[in-house]
Amino acid sequence: MDYIVFAAGNRQRAMGILAATTLGRVWLMATIVLVIGIAQRTAGLSSAVLLMALFTISMGSSGIAYLLEPEGQSPQPR
């Protein structure tokens, strides 16, 4: 969906959507880990460690994919 908004030339709206979805995902995962931690302490710690590892891998792979992308392949607003 972000690419559609970028293609339309509304960069500020696209960045707002991207920021909102990123923050929403973080808050959702933090709430889930908190609830699991309250219900069962060892499972909460395990889920927090797993979540940190998965977010780190996701961010790292996104960065590497961006760096390895050829020059003309990224979507540019017009």
Side-chain angles (χ1 to χ4, degrees):
M1 178 165 164
D2 295 329
Y3 297 124
I4 295 169
V5 177
F6 271 131
N10 196 345
R11 173 178 243 138
Q12 192 172 21
R13 182 168 179 233
M15 295 309 290
I17 291 170
L18 184 64
T21 57
T22 302
L23 286 174
R25 188 179 326 146
V26 170
W27 276 102
L28 177 68
M29 292 295 119
T31 303
I32 290 170
V33 169
L34 179 66
V35 169
I36 292 172
I38 290 171
Q40 189 177 16
R41 191 170 303 275
T42 56
L45 178 61
S46 299
S47 64
V49 170
L50 176 65
L51 187 64
M52 279 186 5
L54 291 176
F55 267 118
T56 302
I57 291 168
S58 174
M59 295 288 277
S61 63
S62 293
I64 290 171
Y66 177 77
L67 291 174
L68 295 177
E69 186 174 83
E71 280 289 314
Q73 297 294 348
S74 63
Q76 297 290 326
R78 294 181 185 184

